[in-house]
Amino acid sequence: MEEDFTGDVTVDEWRKLWKDGKTDFINPELSPMFTKHVNKMLNSRVKVKTLVPFCGKVVEMKWLWDKGHEVVGVECGKEAIKDFFAENKIDYSIVDVPEVKGKLYKSNDGRIRLYCCDFYLFNSAIESGFEAVWDSGALNAVNLDDQGKYVNIIKSLMGHKCINLTVADELSVTCEKLKNWFNGGFRVVESDFVKPDEKLESFGFTGLHLYTISKI
């Protein structure tokens, strides 16, 4: 039986999904939207500090790291983080972070920092000044009642001229919603749309939009 990711899922339930290996929602390949639009996000900049919320073990983090950029992810499932480092053969260390009631998994060169914690405890006192955001489904995964809270955290983390690429299903997130959330100091542009493949359809998705959200 397929898991339904269109309804409310708690942090503990996400952790259990990772622990039990029920991660059919993970894409082991680079997102076509990422490869098509990543240059827009990086904007010819080097060593771009990039936030990946609800990061899981997405392969875009390795791609960014290979290109010399700095990657900060936030994920509640420790199995996902451990898998990411192991599968990519990246050495790392672990330190406690009491402020988020979690741990930081950091590559030996310091350019990958993955925080294992509840996203809603993460804030600009922990990490700030992000120049880019790759949201490949985090906003989609957020419970509807928590979307505004999630967006407020993202806004507080976006630094000067930050470019945020957000991929979202049209049922739970609309361009109008995003423009209302990111009003005053931000610009929202709908940049792409793809129909869901069979796998995404099985999870209840009807189509994926990519939005470019710029801090101005």
Side-chain angles (χ1 to χ4, degrees):
M1 179 179 177
E2 297 283 9
E3 298 287 344
D4 179 6
F5 297 102
T6 59
D8 286 357
V9 183
T10 67
V11 171
D12 286 341
E13 287 170 339
W14 280 115
R15 286 178 176 144
K16 190 174 188 307
L17 287 172
W18 281 108
K19 185 177 181 180
D20 295 345
K22 295 181 179 179
T23 55
D24 290 343
F25 51 89
I26 291 297
N27 182 4
E29 307 293 335
L30 286 173
S31 162
M33 282 189 170
F34 178 84
T35 55
K36 183 178 178 180
H37 296 278
V38 64
N39 288 339
K40 185 183 304 180
M41 182 181 82
L42 299 175
N43 197 25
S44 302
R45 298 172 295 176
V46 297
K47 299 180 180 178
V48 175
K49 185 176 182 180
T50 306
L51 173 67
V52 186
F54 292 32
C55 65
K57 55 178 182 178
V58 295
V59 295
E60 289 83 5
M61 295 192 292
K62 174 67 161 49
W63 187 96
L64 289 165
W65 182 69
D66 283 340
K67 300 295 183 183
H69 301 294
E70 189 177 343
V71 178
V72 177
V74 185
E75 170 59 51
C76 66
K78 65 180 179 181
E79 290 80 11
I81 295 175
K82 290 180 177 180
D83 283 352
F84 171 80
F85 283 109
E87 290 169 8
N88 292 293
K89 298 179 173 58
I90 300 172
D91 293 328
Y92 65 97
S93 59
I94 308 173
V95 295
D96 288 324
V97 186
E99 296 88 345
V100 295
K101 300 179 181 178
K103 296 181 183 295
L104 167 62
Y105 293 70
K106 182 169 65 173
S107 63
N108 286 355
D109 68 359
R111 286 193 297 109
I112 300 179
R113 299 187 298 282
L114 306 185
Y115 290 84
C116 186
C117 65
D118 182 339
F119 181 79
Y120 299 112
L121 298 178
F122 194 77
N123 57 73
S124 59
I126 307 299
E127 296 267 3
S128 62
F130 287 96
E131 300 163 288
V133 179
W134 170 239
D135 182 337
S136 60
L139 181 53
N140 237 29
V142 170
N143 298 333
L144 290 176
D145 290 343
D146 293 329
Q147 286 180 337
K149 182 167 64 171
Y150 170 88
V151 168
N152 285 337
I153 294 173
I154 293 294
K155 288 166 63 177
S156 72
L157 296 171
M158 291 176 66
H160 181 59
K161 294 187 177 179
C162 179
I163 300 173
N164 174 340
L165 295 186
T166 292
V167 179
D169 176 63
E170 59 189 357
L171 284 182
S172 61
V173 179
T174 64
C175 190
E176 182 180 0
K177 268 188 176 182
L178 284 169
K179 287 181 176 179
N180 286 334
W181 286 327
F182 288 93
N183 60 356
F186 297 89
R187 179 174 59 248
V188 178
V189 176
E190 186 172 352
S191 301
D192 209 345
F193 172 79
V194 295
K195 293 181 179 179
D197 57 22
E198 189 174 312
K199 181 177 178 181
L200 287 174
E201 280 187 338
S202 73
F203 293 136
F205 294 109
T206 59
L208 294 178
H209 295 258
L210 182 133
Y211 300 95
T212 303
I213 304 168
S214 307
K215 189 166 184 179
I216 55 178

